[in-house]
Amino acid sequence: MKNFTYKSPASLKDASQLLGDDWSQSIALAGGTDLLNLMKNEVETPTRVVNLKQIKELNKIEYNSGYGLKLGALATIAEIAAHPVIKAKYRVLHEAAREIASPQLGNMGTLGGNLCQRPRCWYYRNEFPCLRKGGDICYAIDGKNKFHCIIGGGPCFIVHPSDMAVALMALDANVTIFDGEKNHTVPISEFYLLPEQDMYRETVLKPGEIVTHIYVPDVGSGEKSGYFKFKERGIWDFAVVSVAVMLRKKGKTIREARVTLGGIAPKPWLEPHVSENLINLVPDEDNVSAICDQSLRNAFDLGQNGYKILLAKNLMKRMILKLAS
Amino acid sequence: MKFSTIKFELNGKPVEIEVPPAMRLLDILRETFKLTGTKEGCGIGECGACTVLLNGQAVASCLLLAGQLEGTKITTIEGLVHDERMNLLQRNFLECGAVQCGFCTPGMLLSAYALLQKDARPTTDDIKNAIAGNLCRCTGYKQIIQAIQKSTESLSDPDQ
């Protein structure tokens, strides 16, 4: 790891100033579970590391009935997984938080860091001068691509690894960003970018901007949610494909639905076809299967990742039917 | 070379060190303080051999930078050498055959200890979850789980 100067500002304003306007020079540190590995592999070589954890007020989890959930960006994954209100009301968030990482990493990793973690692509993370690092080639196209994206890719084919982002998108959350002067809020569905929008960054954050809070609307009556993460091994891995579903039913009829997928695209993927077609449906195995089978029409196989298309459809089916029953 | 001065509490004693900010806690423990009970396995936060307690919580010392230690309390396996609960866990690890090569053992003990500090009567699932970030390549885990279970039984037995 290259050495750097280390700063621990006490205010957001100071932190933003220290982060400055050059991504390559100055970098934000929260839990460090992703950043340290990027620095060890010299994917990131900042000259200044700005520790955010001395900033007060960013580590709280607050819930107000009728208003919803306010999550500080420095709340840890373990705190979210253990929070009784989240466990009772926001199952999708609870289940996603439980699946992220081991107790050690859950105690260290933060919500903000999870949302802003860099892509899992073995070419990006290792010594390949790939597109995302300013090179000319995406090595995944002709290389090993069993974990790469099936939709939304091109010219770079990363997947976004965050479980929290997929769950929060199903809950229609909003992300508050401090820009050095003031806060602004964007829906999480607009927080992430595809490679065709920006080849080098995965989010709308500009240099010096910091995610401060996540707002999740209150849970309505008849609302159920859940998360399922398919991994290549039994425990602690990034999602091969994950699915987050929120359904609100009245009687037997679905009134509201949001179905999002992880592990298939360069950003958490809202599948509008499925979400829209579930509305006003009295779900059964046949009609839910038909809707899911018609989804992901623009998905394509890079050579080794085509299995993800069927897997994603089946996981959506499974989770929708589980929540609908 | 840039250096930072860091003050924290190590195994109950206040310490002050001057180290490069890029130094990891794992290296500070092993090299600066010669506390070699904390092991380096994978170096990427996957194996748990480098587990220590930060303010009582199990963390991976291979992913913590020097600067992050400022004002914290760090506990390593050496810091619990006279701790009754840790001694009980250690005895039960020996009795149950939960130690073979021993490389994972300090981390495994600290994860178990962190669990018992939080919950003196964990279920088997709680135990499995608590050590889910610690890889052991010899025992097959069964004996480790038994040893932790045995420790919870004697801890919660008022006659002992």
Side-chain angles (χ1 to χ4, degrees):
Chain A
M1 201 185 325
K2 294 200 170 141
N3 205 13
F4 47 80
T5 53
Y6 184 86
K7 299 283 180 188
S8 259
S11 76
L12 269 172
K13 207 171 170 106
D14 290 349
S16 175
Q17 230 157 39
L18 285 163
L19 286 171
D21 56 11
D22 187 346
W23 289 118
S24 67
Q25 290 300 307
S26 200
I27 203 157
L29 167 71
T33 54
D34 189 38
L35 180 59
L36 255 75
N37 287 326
L38 291 166
M39 284 166 56
K40 284 178 188 175
N41 287 355
E42 297 189 358
V43 176
E44 297 283 3
T45 50
T47 55
R48 178 192 284 160
V49 170
V50 182
N51 172 33
L52 303 178
K53 289 202 106 172
Q54 294 304 314
I55 303 170
K56 303 288 175 235
E57 308 294 317
L58 291 191
N59 57 358
K60 290 190 180 149
I61 300 175
E62 297 166 77
Y63 171 77
N64 284 301
S65 180
Y67 175 79
L69 194 60
K70 182 183 177 188
L71 301 161
L74 292 178
T76 65
I77 300 305
E79 286 162 354
I80 292 170
H83 197 278
V85 175
I86 296 175
K87 190 176 177 183
K89 289 178 178 279
Y90 298 94
R91 288 300 299 182
V92 64
L93 205 53
H94 171 75
E95 288 167 11
R98 275 182 62 98
E99 281 278 352
I100 290 173
S102 66
Q104 289 92 326
L105 298 188
N107 287 335
M108 300 167 78
T110 65
L111 174 59
N114 187 276
L115 296 179
C116 297
Q117 64 186 302
R118 303 308 306 273
R120 300 310 303 187
C121 163
W122 38 43
Y123 299 109
Y124 169 73
R125 295 226 164 213
N126 290 294
E127 290 158 8
F128 293 85
C130 75
L131 280 178
R132 191 155 289 264
K133 289 189 286 199
D136 302 323
I137 310 169
C138 172
Y139 292 87
I141 297 170
D142 291 324
K144 301 263 186 202
N145 52 39
K146 79 182 241 199
F147 295 126
H148 287 77
C149 70
I150 50 169
I151 198 162
C156 154
F157 291 88
I158 55 161
V159 290
H160 199 276
S162 170
D163 292 301
M164 285 281 105
V166 179
L168 287 167
M169 199 129 113
L171 293 170
D172 211 7
N174 287 297
V175 181
T176 298
I177 299 164
F178 179 72
D179 69 3
E181 295 291 331
K182 56 188 184 323
N183 288 326
H184 64 281
T185 297
V186 296
I188 195 162
S189 55
E190 291 167 26
F191 181 69
Y192 291 99
L193 300 173
L194 290 175
E196 64 189 28
Q197 294 167 285
D198 188 333
M199 183 80 81
Y200 308 110
R201 309 297 308 178
E202 297 81 54
T203 71
V204 296
L205 287 180
K206 295 188 186 74
E209 292 191 333
I210 299 165
V211 172
T212 63
H213 294 94
I214 313 298
Y215 291 89
V216 189
D218 202 5
V219 178
S221 67
E223 195 172 311
K224 272 191 188 175
S225 67
Y227 191 75
F228 185 83
K229 180 173 175 179
F230 187 93
K231 305 175 293 280
E232 200 183 34
R233 60 182 192 184
I235 197 158
W236 309 141
D237 204 351
F238 292 93
V240 171
V241 177
S242 67
V243 59
V245 178
M246 186 286 289
L247 292 184
R248 190 171 59 76
K249 276 173 51 178
K250 196 170 181 193
K252 287 184 173 175
T253 312
I254 295 173
R255 292 298 184 197
E256 199 184 344
R258 286 177 75 84
V259 179
T260 57
L261 291 153
I264 66 159
K267 64 177 189 180
W269 194 257
L270 179 73
E271 191 48 30
H273 168 88
V274 176
S275 302
E276 285 157 19
N277 283 286
L278 286 172
I279 294 169
N280 294 328
L281 193 77
V282 178
D284 61 39
E285 190 161 352
D286 290 341
N287 60 23
V288 170
S289 295
I291 290 170
C292 293
D293 288 341
Q294 290 299 310
S295 68
L296 297 171
R297 285 192 177 178
N298 296 325
F300 64 94
D301 182 357
L302 282 172
Q304 293 151 21
N305 63 354
Y307 71 96
K308 284 191 181 186
I309 302 172
L310 183 61
L311 182 58
K313 289 176 181 177
N314 285 340
L315 293 182
M316 282 190 282
K317 251 181 238 180
R318 178 167 154 182
M319 183 52 82
I320 294 164
L321 288 170
K322 183 183 162 197
L323 294 176
S325 64
Chain B
M1 183 73 120
K2 307 170 194 106
F3 281 78
S4 296
T5 306
I6 320 281
K7 289 180 190 171
F8 64 104
E9 196 183 297
L10 177 59
N11 293 333
K13 294 192 189 97
V15 292
E16 185 176 323
I17 49 169
E18 207 165 307
V19 292
M23 202 161 172
R24 306 173 301 169
L25 172 58
L26 175 62
D27 300 320
I28 293 170
L29 293 173
R30 292 182 59 88
E31 287 165 27
T32 310
F33 291 101
K34 309 293 177 203
L35 295 173
T36 54
T38 308
K39 308 298 183 196
E40 174 155 24
C42 66
I44 56 169
E46 296 270 329
C47 77
C50 70
T51 301
V52 299
L53 305 183
L54 184 150
N55 300 333
Q57 291 189 320
V59 294
S61 65
C62 73
L63 291 181
L64 276 164
L65 291 171
Q68 288 170 289
L69 304 177
E70 185 66 45
T72 63
K73 290 181 183 178
I74 299 294
T75 308
T76 69
I77 191 75
E78 292 90 347
L80 296 170
V81 72
H82 299 300
D83 183 282
E84 201 182 324
R85 178 164 283 174
M86 180 53 86
N87 293 161
L88 176 67
L89 276 165
Q90 288 167 320
R91 271 198 308 278
N92 286 330
F93 265 57
L94 288 178
E95 280 172 22
C96 296
V99 181
Q100 287 192 35
C101 85
F103 199 76
C104 75
T105 310
M108 203 62 93
L109 283 166
L110 282 165
S111 286
Y113 183 86
L115 169 70
L116 298 188
Q117 289 292 85
K118 219 167 47 179
D119 179 2
R121 302 211 63 173
T123 64
T124 306
D125 276 349
D126 294 336
I127 293 171
K128 286 181 181 172
N129 282 329
I131 60 164
N134 295 79
L135 296 183
C136 173
R137 298 292 81 171
C138 322
T139 65
Y141 300 101
K142 202 173 167 189
Q143 297 90 324
I144 295 173
I145 294 163
Q146 277 171 353
I148 300 169
Q149 250 162 353
K150 199 171 169 197
S151 309
T152 69
E153 284 155 17
S154 37
L155 276 173
S156 48
D157 184 348
D159 296 334
Q160 283 213 346

